[in-house]
Amino acid sequence: MPLKIRLARGGAKKRPHYSIVVADSRYPRDGRFIEKLGTFDPMKPKDSAERVKLDVDSAKAWLAKGAQPTDRVERFLEAVGLWTRKARNNPEKSKPKKKAQERLDAAAAVAAAAAAAAAPPVEAPVEAPVEAPVEAPVEAPVEAAAEPAADAPAE
């Protein structure tokens, strides 16, 4: 039987009150449970001693039996000194996704083009111009000019 130490919600609408319970993970959140270990009242100030009440001995016994706490209950158990939370690190989650990568690449290309346009042009050292021999233009034969007129439709 996979046991969980988790929160079961109670209280009115917009006024939550949670019970810290040991339950089978297949049971509904607010449904059947095996044992009540304490309470959590999120409406009370964070520094209040009444905010979290937990039966430490029962919690220690259930942890020894293999019950797994949920994330929120892990925080409560860590505050009491019964549990140490594992550091979570998912470097892939913080990386930009495919579309964002494309947008970043496009923005970088635009920025590089703008930087290149704003930079003063680099001039090559001036060398003495070399004069190329000038050739006389070749005139087209007169017959070639007359042919397009013959092909034109008559009006």
Side-chain angles (χ1 to χ4, degrees), residues 59-99:
K60 188 182 278 188
W62 281 108
L63 289 171
K65 292 176 187 173
Q68 293 296 311
T70 58
D71 292 340
R72 178 59 53 184
V73 175
E74 271 185 352
R75 290 174 185 262
F76 302 149
L77 295 174
E78 185 180 39
V80 176
L82 291 179
W83 193 264
T84 54
R85 288 190 312 153
K86 296 177 185 140
R88 293 184 171 189
N89 185 14
N90 186 357
E92 295 297 319
K93 187 174 183 178
S94 63
K95 288 183 182 176
K97 303 299 182 254
K98 185 177 179 181
K99 280 288 200 183

Tab-separated table of all heavy atoms in Angstrom, residues 59-99:
chain	number	residue	atom	x	y	z
A	59	ALA	N	4.622	11.197	13.137
A	59	ALA	CA	5.220	11.452	11.830
A	59	ALA	C	6.506	10.645	11.663
A	59	ALA	O	6.740	10.040	10.605
A	59	ALA	CB	5.505	12.933	11.656
A	60	LYS	N	7.322	10.609	12.710
A	60	LYS	CA	8.565	9.843	12.661
A	60	LYS	C	8.266	8.355	12.456
A	60	LYS	O	8.936	7.676	11.675
A	60	LYS	CB	9.349	10.045	13.959
A	60	LYS	CG	10.746	9.456	13.933
A	60	LYS	CD	11.447	9.651	15.266
A	60	LYS	CE	12.039	11.022	15.342
A	60	LYS	NZ	12.888	11.199	16.543
A	61	ALA	N	7.235	7.833	13.139
A	61	ALA	CA	6.860	6.422	13.004
A	61	ALA	C	6.388	6.115	11.583
A	61	ALA	O	6.773	5.086	11.001
A	61	ALA	CB	5.775	6.073	14.011
A	62	TRP	N	5.578	6.989	11.002
A	62	TRP	CA	5.084	6.743	9.651
A	62	TRP	C	6.196	6.853	8.617
A	62	TRP	O	6.215	6.124	7.630
A	62	TRP	CB	3.930	7.679	9.312
A	62	TRP	CG	2.642	7.219	9.916
A	62	TRP	CD1	1.976	7.779	10.957
A	62	TRP	CD2	1.883	6.075	9.525
A	62	TRP	NE1	0.847	7.062	11.248
A	62	TRP	CE2	0.761	5.997	10.376
A	62	TRP	CE3	2.027	5.104	8.550
A	62	TRP	CZ2	-0.193	5.012	10.271
A	62	TRP	CZ3	1.069	4.110	8.445
A	62	TRP	CH2	-0.023	4.066	9.301
A	63	LEU	N	7.127	7.766	8.835
A	63	LEU	CA	8.267	7.862	7.920
A	63	LEU	C	9.104	6.586	7.976
A	63	LEU	O	9.616	6.116	6.959
A	63	LEU	CB	9.127	9.084	8.247
A	63	LEU	CG	8.508	10.435	7.899
A	63	LEU	CD1	9.342	11.562	8.473
A	63	LEU	CD2	8.370	10.587	6.400
A	64	ALA	N	9.245	6.019	9.186
A	64	ALA	CA	9.989	4.768	9.339
A	64	ALA	C	9.273	3.619	8.630
A	64	ALA	O	9.924	2.684	8.142
A	64	ALA	CB	10.171	4.443	10.817
A	65	LYS	N	7.951	3.690	8.551
A	65	LYS	CA	7.179	2.638	7.870
A	65	LYS	C	7.185	2.798	6.361
A	65	LYS	O	6.657	1.951	5.642
A	65	LYS	CB	5.731	2.645	8.368
A	65	LYS	CG	5.595	2.210	9.813
A	65	LYS	CD	4.165	2.339	10.274
A	65	LYS	CE	4.072	2.069	11.767
A	65	LYS	NZ	2.728	2.338	12.285
A	66	GLY	N	7.743	3.900	5.868
A	66	GLY	CA	7.869	4.083	4.423
A	66	GLY	C	6.914	5.074	3.804
A	66	GLY	O	6.837	5.158	2.579
A	67	ALA	N	6.193	5.831	4.595
A	67	ALA	CA	5.278	6.831	4.035
A	67	ALA	C	6.102	7.963	3.407
A	67	ALA	O	7.082	8.423	3.983
A	67	ALA	CB	4.367	7.380	5.120
A	68	GLN	N	5.690	8.404	2.230
A	68	GLN	CA	6.397	9.471	1.518
A	68	GLN	C	5.642	10.788	1.658
A	68	GLN	O	4.463	10.864	1.330
A	68	GLN	CB	6.506	9.129	0.029
A	68	GLN	CG	7.400	7.948	-0.254
A	68	GLN	CD	8.838	8.227	0.141
A	68	GLN	OE1	9.392	9.266	-0.214
A	68	GLN	NE2	9.425	7.314	0.887
A	69	PRO	N	6.309	11.842	2.142
A	69	PRO	CA	5.629	13.139	2.265
A	69	PRO	C	5.528	13.856	0.922
A	69	PRO	O	6.378	13.683	0.053
A	69	PRO	CB	6.524	13.912	3.230
A	69	PRO	CG	7.866	13.303	3.089
A	69	PRO	CD	7.649	11.865	2.726
A	70	THR	N	4.501	14.656	0.780
A	70	THR	CA	4.361	15.502	-0.410
A	70	THR	C	5.288	16.702	-0.246
A	70	THR	O	5.891	16.909	0.810
A	70	THR	CB	2.906	15.965	-0.585
A	70	THR	OG1	2.512	16.676	0.579
A	70	THR	CG2	1.988	14.791	-0.816
A	71	ASP	N	5.387	17.529	-1.280
A	71	ASP	CA	6.316	18.663	-1.256
A	71	ASP	C	6.043	19.612	-0.091
A	71	ASP	O	6.955	20.025	0.630
A	71	ASP	CB	6.228	19.451	-2.558
A	71	ASP	CG	6.756	18.664	-3.744
A	71	ASP	OD1	7.514	17.706	-3.516
A	71	ASP	OD2	6.407	19.015	-4.882
A	72	ARG	N	4.780	19.977	0.105
A	72	ARG	CA	4.433	20.921	1.161
A	72	ARG	C	4.697	20.319	2.539
A	72	ARG	O	5.236	20.970	3.424
A	72	ARG	CB	2.960	21.328	1.017
A	72	ARG	CG	2.444	22.273	2.059
A	72	ARG	CD	3.179	23.580	2.146
A	72	ARG	NE	3.291	24.273	0.900
A	72	ARG	CZ	3.968	25.403	0.742
A	72	ARG	NH1	4.572	25.963	1.772
A	72	ARG	NH2	4.052	25.977	-0.418
A	73	VAL	N	4.360	19.057	2.722
A	73	VAL	CA	4.583	18.399	4.009
A	73	VAL	C	6.079	18.217	4.244
A	73	VAL	O	6.544	18.295	5.378
A	73	VAL	CB	3.816	17.060	4.073
A	73	VAL	CG1	4.135	16.303	5.347
A	73	VAL	CG2	2.320	17.316	3.983
A	74	GLU	N	6.857	18.016	3.181
A	74	GLU	CA	8.315	17.944	3.320
A	74	GLU	C	8.856	19.212	3.964
A	74	GLU	O	9.755	19.160	4.798
A	74	GLU	CB	8.980	17.759	1.950
A	74	GLU	CG	9.160	16.347	1.526
A	74	GLU	CD	9.942	16.242	0.216
A	74	GLU	OE1	10.217	17.273	-0.435
A	74	GLU	OE2	10.281	15.112	-0.144
A	75	ARG	N	8.311	20.354	3.585
A	75	ARG	CA	8.752	21.630	4.171
A	75	ARG	C	8.461	21.670	5.676
A	75	ARG	O	9.283	22.146	6.460
A	75	ARG	CB	8.056	22.802	3.477
A	75	ARG	CG	8.517	23.014	2.073
A	75	ARG	CD	7.682	24.094	1.392
A	75	ARG	NE	8.033	24.219	-0.007
A	75	ARG	CZ	8.862	25.133	-0.490
A	75	ARG	NH1	9.431	26.003	0.313
A	75	ARG	NH2	9.129	25.179	-1.764
A	76	PHE	N	7.290	21.191	6.052
A	76	PHE	CA	6.941	21.168	7.485
A	76	PHE	C	7.863	20.226	8.254
A	76	PHE	O	8.338	20.558	9.343
A	76	PHE	CB	5.489	20.734	7.693
A	76	PHE	CG	4.468	21.598	7.003
A	76	PHE	CD1	3.280	21.054	6.555
A	76	PHE	CD2	4.687	22.946	6.803
A	76	PHE	CE1	2.331	21.834	5.930
A	76	PHE	CE2	3.744	23.740	6.179
A	76	PHE	CZ	2.569	23.185	5.732
A	77	LEU	N	8.118	19.055	7.686
A	77	LEU	CA	8.982	18.076	8.351
A	77	LEU	C	10.424	18.563	8.429
A	77	LEU	O	11.127	18.300	9.409
A	77	LEU	CB	8.917	16.731	7.623
A	77	LEU	CG	7.565	16.017	7.655
A	77	LEU	CD1	7.609	14.780	6.788
A	77	LEU	CD2	7.170	15.663	9.081
A	78	GLU	N	10.845	19.294	7.422
A	78	GLU	CA	12.196	19.854	7.443
A	78	GLU	C	12.323	20.914	8.533
A	78	GLU	O	13.345	21.001	9.221
A	78	GLU	CB	12.531	20.461	6.084
A	78	GLU	CG	13.963	20.951	5.990
A	78	GLU	CD	14.269	21.559	4.638
A	78	GLU	OE1	13.403	22.262	4.076
A	78	GLU	OE2	15.391	21.332	4.164
A	79	ALA	N	11.281	21.713	8.717
A	79	ALA	CA	11.302	22.739	9.755
A	79	ALA	C	11.397	22.121	11.143
A	79	ALA	O	12.033	22.677	12.047
A	79	ALA	CB	10.054	23.614	9.657
A	80	VAL	N	10.804	20.945	11.320
A	80	VAL	CA	10.841	20.248	12.611
A	80	VAL	C	12.156	19.476	12.775
A	80	VAL	O	12.600	19.234	13.890
A	80	VAL	CB	9.626	19.288	12.727
A	80	VAL	CG1	9.682	18.472	13.999
A	80	VAL	CG2	8.338	20.069	12.661
A	81	GLY	N	12.784	19.112	11.664
A	81	GLY	CA	14.046	18.390	11.712
A	81	GLY	C	13.917	16.902	11.443
A	81	GLY	O	14.852	16.145	11.697
A	82	LEU	N	12.776	16.451	10.897
A	82	LEU	CA	12.581	15.029	10.618
A	82	LEU	C	12.980	14.634	9.199
A	82	LEU	O	13.151	13.457	8.918
A	82	LEU	CB	11.105	14.652	10.805
A	82	LEU	CG	10.562	14.684	12.219
A	82	LEU	CD1	9.094	14.313	12.215
A	82	LEU	CD2	11.333	13.711	13.095
A	83	TRP	N	13.126	15.572	8.326
A	83	TRP	CA	13.325	15.263	6.909
A	83	TRP	C	14.280	16.266	6.299
A	83	TRP	O	14.324	17.420	6.718
A	83	TRP	CB	11.966	15.349	6.210
A	83	TRP	CG	11.916	14.781	4.839
A	83	TRP	CD1	12.058	15.478	3.672
A	83	TRP	CD2	11.693	13.430	4.464
A	83	TRP	NE1	11.924	14.648	2.612
A	83	TRP	CE2	11.703	13.361	3.068
A	83	TRP	CE3	11.485	12.254	5.171
A	83	TRP	CZ2	11.511	12.191	2.360
A	83	TRP	CZ3	11.297	11.088	4.465
A	83	TRP	CH2	11.313	11.058	3.091
A	84	THR	N	15.047	15.837	5.319
A	84	THR	CA	15.874	16.769	4.549
A	84	THR	C	15.404	16.715	3.106
A	84	THR	O	15.318	15.643	2.508
A	84	THR	CB	17.370	16.404	4.619
A	84	THR	OG1	17.526	15.047	4.208
A	84	THR	CG2	17.897	16.577	6.016
A	85	ARG	N	15.076	17.877	2.585
A	85	ARG	CA	14.595	17.943	1.207
A	85	ARG	C	15.769	17.865	0.250
A	85	ARG	O	16.834	18.424	0.504
A	85	ARG	CB	13.847	19.251	0.958
A	85	ARG	CG	12.516	19.304	1.631
A	85	ARG	CD	11.697	20.478	1.198
A	85	ARG	NE	12.441	21.724	1.232
A	85	ARG	CZ	12.186	22.760	0.463
A	85	ARG	NH1	11.206	22.716	-0.391
A	85	ARG	NH2	12.891	23.857	0.550
A	86	LYS	N	15.555	17.197	-0.861
A	86	LYS	CA	16.575	17.124	-1.897
A	86	LYS	C	16.515	18.400	-2.719
A	86	LYS	O	15.444	18.910	-3.010
A	86	LYS	CB	16.322	15.926	-2.800
A	86	LYS	CG	16.444	14.607	-2.080
A	86	LYS	CD	16.102	13.462	-2.995
A	86	LYS	CE	16.130	12.180	-2.197
A	86	LYS	NZ	15.059	11.273	-2.536
A	87	ALA	N	17.691	18.894	-3.068
A	87	ALA	CA	17.743	20.087	-3.911
A	87	ALA	C	17.260	19.728	-5.306
A	87	ALA	O	17.678	18.721	-5.880
A	87	ALA	CB	19.160	20.628	-3.967
A	88	ARG	N	16.381	20.535	-5.824
A	88	ARG	CA	15.858	20.286	-7.162
A	88	ARG	C	16.610	21.154	-8.147
A	88	ARG	O	16.817	22.335	-7.912
A	88	ARG	CB	14.373	20.612	-7.226
A	88	ARG	CG	13.552	19.671	-6.398
A	88	ARG	CD	12.103	19.974	-6.574
A	88	ARG	NE	11.318	18.929	-5.950
A	88	ARG	CZ	10.029	18.835	-6.081
A	88	ARG	NH1	9.379	19.712	-6.795
A	88	ARG	NH2	9.376	17.871	-5.486
A	89	ASN	N	17.009	20.525	-9.258
A	89	ASN	CA	17.722	21.267	-10.279
A	89	ASN	C	17.368	20.670	-11.634
A	89	ASN	O	17.683	19.520	-11.911
A	89	ASN	CB	19.235	21.185	-10.039
A	89	ASN	CG	19.995	22.052	-11.021
A	89	ASN	OD1	19.412	22.893	-11.695
A	89	ASN	ND2	21.286	21.846	-11.110
A	90	ASN	N	16.699	21.437	-12.436
A	90	ASN	CA	16.362	21.010	-13.784
A	90	ASN	C	16.836	22.102	-14.739
A	90	ASN	O	16.095	23.024	-15.066
A	90	ASN	CB	14.855	20.787	-13.924
A	90	ASN	CG	14.501	20.208	-15.270
A	90	ASN	OD1	15.363	20.021	-16.115
A	90	ASN	ND2	13.229	19.918	-15.470
A	91	PRO	N	18.099	22.016	-15.177
A	91	PRO	CA	18.620	23.084	-16.040
A	91	PRO	C	17.910	23.170	-17.385
A	91	PRO	O	17.892	24.220	-18.007
A	91	PRO	CB	20.093	22.710	-16.219
A	91	PRO	CG	20.173	21.261	-15.919
A	91	PRO	CD	19.075	20.975	-14.931
A	92	GLU	N	17.306	22.076	-17.847
A	92	GLU	CA	16.597	22.103	-19.129
A	92	GLU	C	15.336	22.959	-19.053
A	92	GLU	O	14.923	23.562	-20.036
A	92	GLU	CB	16.219	20.690	-19.569
A	92	GLU	CG	17.411	19.788	-19.862
A	92	GLU	CD	18.251	20.285	-21.016
A	92	GLU	OE1	17.672	20.751	-22.015
A	92	GLU	OE2	19.480	20.223	-20.919
A	93	LYS	N	14.724	23.012	-17.881
A	93	LYS	CA	13.473	23.751	-17.733
A	93	LYS	C	13.683	25.254	-17.893
A	93	LYS	O	12.823	25.961	-18.421
A	93	LYS	CB	12.865	23.458	-16.365
A	93	LYS	CG	11.497	24.034	-16.175
A	93	LYS	CD	10.890	23.600	-14.885
A	93	LYS	CE	9.492	24.128	-14.739
A	93	LYS	NZ	8.856	23.686	-13.525
A	94	SER	N	14.829	25.753	-17.461
A	94	SER	CA	15.051	27.190	-17.505
A	94	SER	C	15.535	27.677	-18.866
A	94	SER	O	15.547	28.878	-19.120
A	94	SER	CB	16.064	27.590	-16.432
A	94	SER	OG	17.313	26.971	-16.697
A	95	LYS	N	15.925	26.768	-19.738
A	95	LYS	CA	16.390	27.181	-21.059
A	95	LYS	C	15.203	27.633	-21.901
A	95	LYS	O	14.107	27.093	-21.790
A	95	LYS	CB	17.074	26.014	-21.773
A	95	LYS	CG	18.421	25.667	-21.211
A	95	LYS	CD	19.047	24.558	-22.022
A	95	LYS	CE	20.385	24.173	-21.445
A	95	LYS	NZ	20.979	23.036	-22.169
A	96	PRO	N	15.430	28.620	-22.792
A	96	PRO	CA	14.352	29.028	-23.692
A	96	PRO	C	13.992	27.892	-24.634
A	96	PRO	O	14.854	27.103	-25.048
A	96	PRO	CB	14.956	30.200	-24.471
A	96	PRO	CG	16.141	30.628	-23.699
A	96	PRO	CD	16.605	29.462	-22.904
A	97	LYS	N	12.727	27.812	-24.988
A	97	LYS	CA	12.254	26.755	-25.881
A	97	LYS	C	12.594	27.101	-27.338
A	97	LYS	O	13.234	28.107	-27.619
A	97	LYS	CB	10.741	26.569	-25.710
A	97	LYS	CG	10.325	26.250	-24.283
A	97	LYS	CD	10.943	24.962	-23.801
A	97	LYS	CE	10.496	24.619	-22.413
A	97	LYS	NZ	11.442	24.799	-21.389
A	98	LYS	N	12.151	26.277	-28.278
A	98	LYS	CA	12.558	26.382	-29.675
A	98	LYS	C	12.186	27.729	-30.299
A	98	LYS	O	13.026	28.392	-30.913
A	98	LYS	CB	11.904	25.240	-30.466
A	98	LYS	CG	12.343	25.168	-31.905
A	98	LYS	CD	11.711	23.979	-32.589
A	98	LYS	CE	12.118	23.914	-34.041
A	98	LYS	NZ	11.503	22.791	-34.731
A	99	LYS	N	10.934	28.159	-30.138
A	99	LYS	CA	10.493	29.432	-30.733
A	99	LYS	C	11.260	30.609	-30.143
A	99	LYS	O	11.649	31.535	-30.855
A	99	LYS	CB	8.993	29.637	-30.500
A	99	LYS	CG	8.126	28.871	-31.446
A	99	LYS	CD	8.208	29.488	-32.806
A	99	LYS	CE	7.028	29.084	-33.641
A	99	LYS	NZ	7.090	29.602	-34.974
